[in-house]
């Protein structure tokens, strides 16, 4: 079991690290290549601009088919001179070749044209002196010197990249792969080291929990540190000590056990905020009283009450004031009902009153007193702008359906009271 947990922990750390490193290894080269191509493109464009500027300085003018053909011829002549030059080849194996013409390259993939679109450096099926169409110019990238348009560069789908460029990108990719491999090794070592210590602490906690399940409550775990496992161990020790003390106290006195059980039972049937009985208690009593009323033909009335616009009270004045309103309404209702009646908080801002030996007209009188008392209470003592009212729906319908129809009828009458303007009782 413990080895399996250690394996899962190690694998989870490895998978997480591998996922992060894989994303980096996939995205980073792609971003690097995009950045590299952009920088290389700018270098190409700067060379194109210098070439045109040099021609314009020598020729005194630029633009038109004649100048485009003249510049094309000058480029070809320059390439021929470099090819015939003895310096074009190194005299020794270790010597570097002299720089060739920037446009005389096997990797060149651009068609260059002047501002009117006349081609002076063709590529592919394009010819020198040919004029590019408007559509082709739209796909071209303009060449500027400051704000002055000098021409256009129409690139091929394949970006011009030299063997040196490809070698540089390959070195970068391999470096990242080596870094990723090193990261995985470090992650594996850390996960094994940290996992061993973590499993050791979890083993201590598990053994102590097993002993407690057997009835040996006097268990303490020794784990030092400030991490979550140490915190869990301290909380376990505290709970074990409290449980052991509680068990000793309960074992010492049967009366104490009974009193605590009764207190817990009462708490489970009480609403914590208002102190009234809760819905669980109401359901228990409703089933008994409804069954008795049906069996012996006795009267039974049920009233559902709902504080009007309670959400607006919470939103406008705060939830703290809303809680105060709930407690005060509960107090006012409790002052009016009889000892034999059942009053409970049904949920949220809803209350329910169960009245035995009472028909709906008798119930209406009692509930209307409650409604008037709530409306007249000085709510300004809680907040100067606060006013509270409550609406009720009453039913005394007895069917052999465990009280479902009575609840539905009371709820329908409550909605009717809301629709008629609130602060009223409908039967």
């Amino acid at each position: 079991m413990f080895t399996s947990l250690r394996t899962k922990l190690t694998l989870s750390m490895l998978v997480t690290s591998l996922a992060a490193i894989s994303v980096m290894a996939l995205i980073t080269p792609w971003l690097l290549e995009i950045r590299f191509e952009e920088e290389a493109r700018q270098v190409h464009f700067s060379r194109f601009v210098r070439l045109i500027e040099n021609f314009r300085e020598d020729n005194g003018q630029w633009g038109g088919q004649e100048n485009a053909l003249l510049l094309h011829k000058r480029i070809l002549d320059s390439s021929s001179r470099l090819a015939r030059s003895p310096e074009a080849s190194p005299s020794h194996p270790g010597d570097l070749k002299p720089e060739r013409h920037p446009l005389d390259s096997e990797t060149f993939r651009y068609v260059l044209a002047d501002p009117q679109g006349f081609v002076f450096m063709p590529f592919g099926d394009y010819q020198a002196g040919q004029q590019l169409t408007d559509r082709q110019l739209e796909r071209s990238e303009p060449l500027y010197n400051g704000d002055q348009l000098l021409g256009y560069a129409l690139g091929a789908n394949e970006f011009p990249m030299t063997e040196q460029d490809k070698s540089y990108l390959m070195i970068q990719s391999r470096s990242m792969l080596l870094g990723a491999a090193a990261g995985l090794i470090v992650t594996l070592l850390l996960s094994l080291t940290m996992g061993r210590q973590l499993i050791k602490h979890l083993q201590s906690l598990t053994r102590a929990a097993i002993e407690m399940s057997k009835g040996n409550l006097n268990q303490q775990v020794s784990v030092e540190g400030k991490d979550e496992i140490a915190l869990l161990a301290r909380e376990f020790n505290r709970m074990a000590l409290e449980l052991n003390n509680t068990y000793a106290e309960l074992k010492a006195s049967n009366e104490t056990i009974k009193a605590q059980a009764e207190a817990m039972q009462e708490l489970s049937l009480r609403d914590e905020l208002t102190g009234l009985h809760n819905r669980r208690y109401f359901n228990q009593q409703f089933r008994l009283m409804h069954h008795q009323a049906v069996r012996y033909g006795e009267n039974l009335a049920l009233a559902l009450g709902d504080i009007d616009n309670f959400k607006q009270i919470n939103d406008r004045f705060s939830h703290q004031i809303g809680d105060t309103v709930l407690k005060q309404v509960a107090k006012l209702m409790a002052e009016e009902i009889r000892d034999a009646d059942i009053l409970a908080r049904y949920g949220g801002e809803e209350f329910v009153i169960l009245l035995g030996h009472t028909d709906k007209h008798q119930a209406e009188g009692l509930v209307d007193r409650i409604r008037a008392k709530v409306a007249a209470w000085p709510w300004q003592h809680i907040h100067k702008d606060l006013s509270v009212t409550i609406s009720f729906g009453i039913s005394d319908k007895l069917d052999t359906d465990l009280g479902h129809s009575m609840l539905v009828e009371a709820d329908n009458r409550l909605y009717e009271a809301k629709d008629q303007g609130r602060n009223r009782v409908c039967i």
Side-chain angles (χ1 to χ4, degrees), residues 11-21:
L11 286 176
S12 65
M13 296 182 69
L14 282 175
V15 169
T16 303
S17 301
L18 182 60
I21 293 172

Side-chain angles (χ1 to χ4, degrees), residues 52 57 77 94 136 175 185 195 244 265 289-290 347 355 360 374 383-384 390 412 415 417 422:
I52 295 172
E57 290 178 3
D77 292 344
Q136 291 169 336
S175 299
I185 294 174
N244 191 35
Q265 175 68 14
M289 294 178 68
H290 184 272
L355 305 165
K360 60 185 177 182
V374 170
H383 192 283
K384 63 183 182 66
I390 188 169
N412 290 337
Y415 274 101
R422 300 182 176 86

Side-chain angles (χ1 to χ4, degrees), residues 91-138:
S91 57
H92 300 286
D95 292 343
L96 296 176
K97 286 186 178 182
E99 183 181 1
R100 303 178 68 190
H101 194 282
L103 305 183
D104 186 18
S105 171
E106 296 178 356
T107 62
F108 186 76
R109 295 291 186 275
Y110 282 102
V111 175
L112 303 182
D114 67 2
Q116 288 79 39
F118 289 103
V119 176
F120 65 87
M121 186 62 193
F123 166 72
D125 296 333
Y126 293 88
Q127 301 295 325
Q130 173 186 345
Q131 188 173 20
L132 300 179
T133 64
D134 292 339
R135 183 179 181 84
Q136 291 169 336
L137 290 176
E138 289 177 359

Side-chain angles (χ1 to χ4, degrees), residues 338-399:
R338 303 166 299 186
D339 292 340
D341 298 331
I342 304 296
L343 171 63
R345 184 182 179 190
Y346 201 60
E349 67 271 21
E350 276 192 312
F351 299 88
V352 62
I353 307 174
L354 195 59
L355 305 165
H357 304 285
T358 306
D359 62 26
K360 60 185 177 182
H361 297 291
Q362 294 170 326
E364 182 183 13
L366 183 145
V367 171
D368 197 56
R369 288 198 304 272
I370 293 176
R371 179 203 60 76
K373 191 171 185 177
V374 170
W377 197 81
W379 297 102
Q380 294 77 15
H381 293 173
I382 297 176
H383 192 283
K384 63 183 182 66
D385 297 325
L386 179 64
S387 63
V388 179
T389 60
I390 188 169
S391 299
F392 285 94
I394 298 175
S395 173
D396 63 353
K397 183 177 183 180
L398 286 175
D399 288 329

Side-chain angles (χ1 to χ4, degrees), residues 45-314:
F45 287 177
S46 64
R47 291 175 177 176
F48 300 160
V49 170
R50 287 200 303 270
L51 179 69
I52 295 172
E53 284 293 336
N54 292 337
F55 176 81
R56 189 169 64 173
E57 290 178 3
D58 295 341
N59 198 46
Q61 57 181 351
W62 172 239
Q65 185 178 33
E66 181 180 350
N67 286 320
L69 292 172
L70 183 59
L71 178 54
H72 175 66
K73 183 176 182 302
R74 180 176 296 186
I75 293 171
L76 294 180
D77 292 344
S78 176
S79 298
S80 299
R81 288 195 300 273
L82 285 173
R84 293 192 302 270
S85 173
E87 297 177 355
S89 300
S91 57
H92 300 286
D95 292 343
L96 296 176
K97 286 186 178 182
E99 183 181 1
R100 303 178 68 190
H101 194 282
L103 305 183
D104 186 18
S105 171
E106 296 178 356
T107 62
F108 186 76
R109 295 291 186 275
Y110 282 102
V111 175
L112 303 182
D114 67 2
Q116 288 79 39
F118 289 103
V119 176
F120 65 87
M121 186 62 193
F123 166 72
D125 296 333
Y126 293 88
Q127 301 295 325
Q130 173 186 345
Q131 188 173 20
L132 300 179
T133 64
D134 292 339
R135 183 179 181 84
Q136 291 169 336
L137 290 176
E138 289 177 359
R139 293 189 293 109
S140 304
E141 297 193 42
L143 304 175
Y144 285 99
N145 184 11
D147 296 333
Q148 185 178 10
L149 177 64
L150 297 180
Y152 294 93
L154 177 60
N157 294 330
E158 179 185 359
F159 181 77
M161 188 177 295
T162 64
E163 292 301 324
Q164 183 179 4
D165 296 336
K166 295 177 182 178
S167 175
Y168 174 77
L169 290 176
M170 180 62 70
I171 292 173
Q172 291 289 330
S173 299
R174 289 178 178 176
S175 299
M176 282 184 288
L177 289 176
L178 289 175
L184 284 176
I185 294 174
V186 172
T187 301
L188 178 60
L189 294 176
L190 287 176
S191 62
L192 291 174
T193 303
M194 297 172 63
R196 185 181 297 109
Q197 187 69 14
L198 177 61
I199 296 302
K200 179 181 177 182
H201 293 164
L202 290 176
Q203 286 175 340
S204 300
L205 281 168
T206 304
R207 284 194 295 267
I210 293 174
E211 289 298 317
M212 287 189 68
S213 69
K214 296 177 180 179
N216 302 322
L217 302 182
N218 189 19
Q219 300 293 323
Q220 293 290 300
V221 180
S222 177
V223 177
E224 299 180 355
K226 297 182 179 180
D227 57 11
E228 288 78 0
I229 298 297
L231 178 61
L232 177 62
R234 287 194 291 271
E235 287 299 309
F236 176 87
N237 292 338
R238 181 186 64 79
M239 290 188 293
L241 182 60
E242 290 180 356
L243 184 60
N244 191 35
N245 293 337
T246 302
Y247 179 76
E249 292 174 0
L250 293 176
K251 188 176 181 181
S253 174
N254 290 333
E255 290 300 324
T256 303
I257 294 174
K258 183 178 179 180
Q260 288 181 346
E262 292 176 351
M264 291 178 64
Q265 175 68 14
E266 179 64 19
L267 286 175
S268 70
L269 300 176
R270 288 282 179 183
D271 176 59
E272 183 178 0
L273 177 65
T274 62
L276 300 179
H277 286 297
N278 58 21
R279 186 169 183 168
R280 178 184 176 189
Y281 178 82
F282 164 76
N283 289 335
Q284 293 175 357
Q285 297 302 312
F286 183 42
R287 283 194 294 269
L288 293 174
M289 294 178 68
H290 184 272
H291 175 73
Q292 182 176 347
V294 171
R295 182 176 181 180
Y296 297 106
E298 299 173 350
N299 289 327
L300 181 66
L302 183 147
L304 278 178
D306 185 272
I307 298 176
D308 297 326
N309 300 315
F310 185 72
K311 183 179 184 302
Q312 296 180 13
I313 293 175
N314 276 334

